[in-house]
Amino acid sequence: MEGIKVKNIGTLVISYNLENPRGISYEMLGPSKPTLQVSRRNNADIINFTPKKAGLYKLLVKYNNKLLRNSPFELTAIDLSHFNYLNLQDSLNSIILNKDVAITLETARCGPGSVLAELQGPLNYEGVDVTNTPNTASVRFRAGKPGNYKLALFYNGIPFPQSPYSFFVSRKSRGKVTTMPMEGDGLKLAYVGKANYIYVSNVPKGTGLQVEVLSYDKIQQEVRVLTGTSGTSTIEYYVSSVGVYSICVTWEGADLAGSPLTVPAVQYN
């Protein structure tokens, strides 16, 4: 039986060939005891339930108070609600060409299971290694060519929130301009239908600050650079639809530290 997410409705279908199905009963044991809603149809019962905690669950199926063969049936409920995908996106945005990457994921609260990973890049499917321990998972790979990459993460076959994660690896050396730090919510997440902001400090006078925001299919997005009087420039940009966007911020042709980067965009409520 496959796993499900906690607080999501799970559905099981139990088929049988009995003259009198009234003798069938069900009970679920686990970290929480979800209420079972059973609807009976021709030669089958549909069972809906909602586990509230991560862990291993067992469904006991009885007929006239005796366990049926192969019962109990086991399934796992996993909890990925605590996973901070924005921190992971930050790590991916800082990857350097031809450098080994090691990302550690905390999995102690996810429930029983393991992490699987797939990496797609300029060479189609790239090599990626995952080491699972009881409380963590280590994802290791190397971006050997410049270009767009996608990292897909799964826990017990269920995608992590916002997976796959897109990022861009540049041919250029990264972090050439380290004296002009960037900050702002627009570095991590963009909203459709709303202005998104990035702030750049210690900007010299002149017009050397250049910004480009591209959709995954290379369509340029609306960008404005507003110069302040205190050496801080404000980057205001808009995205046209939900998706993943690449942002490149340069000063006189050199990347700022952290640029280029990839930002997911969601609908603004």
Side-chain angles (χ1 to χ4, degrees):
M1 298 173 69
E2 296 182 355
I4 64 170
K5 292 182 181 179
V6 296
K7 300 181 181 179
N8 284 14
I9 297 177
T11 300
L12 300 173
V13 178
I14 307 296
S15 300
Y16 47 77
N17 185 15
L18 299 170
E19 293 183 0
N20 181 18
R22 294 181 181 178
I24 297 179
S25 62
Y26 303 98
E27 182 181 9
M28 182 167 283
L29 305 177
S32 64
K33 192 170 182 179
T35 300
L36 302 181
Q37 298 177 338
V38 182
S39 59
R40 183 152 292 167
R41 298 181 181 178
N42 293 333
N43 297 324
D45 287 347
I46 300 175
I47 304 172
N48 292 322
F49 61 97
T50 305
K52 296 182 179 180
K53 294 182 180 180
L56 179 66
Y57 288 78
K58 296 182 179 182
L59 177 67
L60 283 66
V61 183
K62 297 181 181 180
Y63 185 66
N64 292 335
N65 293 322
K66 294 183 179 180
L67 284 175
L68 293 184
R69 187 178 62 179
N70 298 327
S71 175
F73 302 98
E74 295 184 350
L75 62 88
T76 56
I78 65 171
D79 185 0
L80 301 177
S81 61
H82 63 278
F83 179 69
N84 191 333
Y85 70 89
L86 295 179
N87 286 346
L88 173 61
Q89 191 70 65
D90 282 345
S91 299
L92 296 175
N93 288 338
S94 62
I95 288 175
I96 300 175
L97 186 66
N98 284 322
K99 295 290 185 178
D100 290 332
V101 178
I103 298 173
T104 300
L105 306 174
E106 299 291 337
T107 59
R109 292 184 288 168
C110 293
S114 59
V115 173
L116 294 176
E118 294 178 354
L119 182 65
Q120 188 174 5
L123 298 178
N124 200 7
Y125 284 97
E126 312 273 346
V128 57
D129 179 68
V130 181
T131 302
N132 286 280
T133 69
N135 296 318
T136 63
S138 177
V139 180
R140 298 175 180 271
F141 61 90
R142 173 183 287 197
K145 287 185 176 294
N148 291 301
Y149 287 79
K150 284 186 178 181
L151 176 66
L153 295 178
F154 306 89
Y155 196 81
N156 274 15
I158 296 177
F160 276 71
Q162 304 298 320
S163 177
Y165 309 98
S166 299
F167 58 98
F168 180 79
V169 178
S170 173
R171 185 184 299 274
K172 300 177 182 178
S173 300
R174 299 178 64 90
K176 285 186 177 180
V177 181
T178 60
T179 57
M180 297 164 58
M182 297 187 294
E183 60 181 358
D185 294 338
L187 290 170
K188 298 182 178 181
L189 184 66
Y191 291 101
V192 180
K194 182 179 181 292
N196 303 281
Y197 293 99
I198 299 172
Y199 305 98
V200 184
S201 302
N202 303 328
V203 180
K205 292 182 179 180
T207 58
L209 188 66
Q210 302 293 323
V211 183
E212 184 178 56
V213 180
L214 299 177
S215 63
Y216 193 74
D217 52 359
K218 304 300 182 183
I219 297 177
Q220 289 191 350
Q221 306 298 297
E222 181 181 354
V223 179
R224 299 188 185 98
V225 178
L226 309 175
T227 303
T229 57
S230 60
T232 298
S233 291
T234 300
I235 300 170
E236 179 182 276
Y237 71 93
Y238 298 81
V239 294
S240 56
S241 61
V242 173
V244 177
Y245 293 81
S246 63
I247 301 176
C248 183
V249 184
T250 62
W251 174 260
E252 295 183 347
D255 285 324
L256 272 60
S259 172
L261 63 142
T262 306
V263 174
V266 299
Q267 192 68 45
Y268 179 67
N269 296 325

